[in-house]
């Protein structure tokens, strides 16, 4: 069974720093990998979707990379802001329309 | 822009009562999902439907049932609620069926407390 791990579970950085969040998965037979943001008491908002044939995707200050063979993805956030504070989750999609989620990294950006 | 609408947003329920959480999507996605999110356990799949008229069991289906009479609606029913079903419930949908598709979208969640 696919296992998705996100380390660290929590991260605190000063405003303006660049940071990297990590996601690893055990089964490389994935269709895609998706990064989400979740604010307290809210649903999950899709940030970036990387198809299995792609290496990276960018949206504004966010850049996500995918190395399927090594079972790793990173989410790079440039010039972090207090508004980036949230929990970030990654999920992989496998055959059969099954999604597997990490437990998330809770990010705090300190003004 | 609606996307996925869940109702109710929040509900307190007595144990033993029947409860239906509603989920409607306007994106014409073929696949829909119900997850529960609990502190320390992350998101766990309850039931899913790959297309209207079909449903399947996820990781934690016991005590829950679903139906998929049409493309847009995917209600989740707790036949006789128990306190362990206290959780935040998320409905999600995706357009799936090919190898290069399937961005997953979520509703805002339904917070359920069973006393």
């Amino acid at each position: 069974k696919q296992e998705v791990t996100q380390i660290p579970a929590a991260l605190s950085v000063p405003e303006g720093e660049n940071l990297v969040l990590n996601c690893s998965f055990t089964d490389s037979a994935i269709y895609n990998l998706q990064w989400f943001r979740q604010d307290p008491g809210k649903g999950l908002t899709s940030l970036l979707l990387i198809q299995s044939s792609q290496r990276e995707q960018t949206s504004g200050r966010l850049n996500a990379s995918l190395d399927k063979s090594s079972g790793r993805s990173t989410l790079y956030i440039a010039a972090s802001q207090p508004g980036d504070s949230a929990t970030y989750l990654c999920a992989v999609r496998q055959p059969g329309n099954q999604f597997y989620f990490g437990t998330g990294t809770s990010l705090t950006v300190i003004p | 822009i609606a996307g996925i609408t869940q109702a109710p947003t929040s509900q307190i329920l007595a144990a033993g009562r029947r409860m239906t959480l509603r989920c409607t999507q306007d994106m014409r996605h073929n696949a829909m999902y119900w997850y529960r999110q609990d502190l320390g356990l992350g998101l766990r799949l309850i039931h899913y439907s790959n297309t209207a008229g079909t449903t399947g069991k996820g990781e934690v289906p016991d005590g829950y049932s679903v139906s998929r009479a049409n493309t847009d609606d995917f209600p989740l029913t707790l036949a006789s609620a128990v306190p362990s079903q206290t959780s935040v419930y998320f409905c999600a949908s995706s357009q799936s069926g090919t190898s290069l598709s399937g961005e997953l979208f979520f509703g805002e969640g339904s917070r359920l407390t069973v006393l």
Side-chain angles (χ1 to χ4, degrees):
Chain A
K1 180 189 170 186
Q2 177 75 267
E3 291 186 6
V4 181
T5 304
Q6 292 186 248
I7 296 174
L11 182 64
S12 183
V13 300
E15 180 178 2
E17 271 204 6
N18 302 325
L19 61 101
V20 174
L21 305 180
N22 297 294
C23 172
S24 61
F25 48 95
T26 56
D27 185 350
S28 62
I30 65 170
Y31 284 158
N32 60 46
L33 185 144
Q34 199 168 347
W35 281 94
F36 296 88
R37 169 187 173 134
Q38 186 176 27
D39 293 289
K42 300 292 186 182
L44 280 72
T45 300
S46 180
L47 296 174
L48 289 165
L49 172 70
I50 311 176
Q51 301 294 354
S52 61
S53 59
Q54 297 176 322
R55 297 284 295 184
E56 65 179 276
Q57 283 285 335
T58 298
S59 176
R61 294 182 295 107
L62 305 180
N63 176 277
S65 68
L66 174 64
D67 184 343
K68 201 173 72 164
S69 61
S70 67
R72 294 179 184 175
S73 176
T74 61
L75 179 66
Y76 174 83
I77 303 177
S80 59
Q81 304 170 357
D84 294 331
S85 297
T87 297
Y88 292 81
L89 296 98
C90 65
V92 297
R93 177 174 170 247
Q94 289 200 271
N97 290 337
Q98 296 300 309
F99 292 84
Y100 295 88
F101 289 83
T103 51
T105 294
S106 177
L107 173 66
T108 301
V109 181
I110 303 167
Chain B
I1 299 175
I4 298 177
T5 302
Q6 291 186 233
T9 303
S10 180
Q11 182 74 44
I12 299 174
L13 187 67
R17 298 297 296 268
R18 180 184 180 90
M19 177 72 193
T20 295
L21 304 180
R22 300 184 298 278
C23 175
T24 300
Q25 53 110 354
D26 63 1
M27 297 174 282
R28 307 300 293 172
H29 286 167
N30 57 346
M32 296 187 75
Y33 310 84
W34 274 105
Y35 292 91
R36 59 179 289 175
Q37 187 177 40
D38 303 285
L39 194 63
L41 297 176
L43 282 158
R44 292 181 292 171
L45 181 65
I46 305 170
H47 284 287
Y48 65 94
S49 169
N50 285 334
T51 189
T54 70
T55 62
K57 293 181 179 180
E59 181 183 357
V60 288
D62 294 343
Y64 305 96
S65 64
V66 292
S67 61
R68 187 88 184 277
N70 57 60
T71 297
D72 300 340
D73 301 301
F74 191 43
L76 176 73
T77 297
L78 289 67
S80 179
V82 295
S84 62
Q85 292 178 311
T86 294
S87 186
V88 182
Y89 292 86
F90 288 103
C91 180
S93 73
S94 71
Q95 185 60 34
S96 303
T98 68
S99 62
L100 293 179
S101 64
E103 186 173 5
L104 192 61
F105 295 88
F106 280 83
E108 285 297 305
S110 295
R111 182 175 297 274
L112 183 66
T113 302
V114 183
L115 301 176

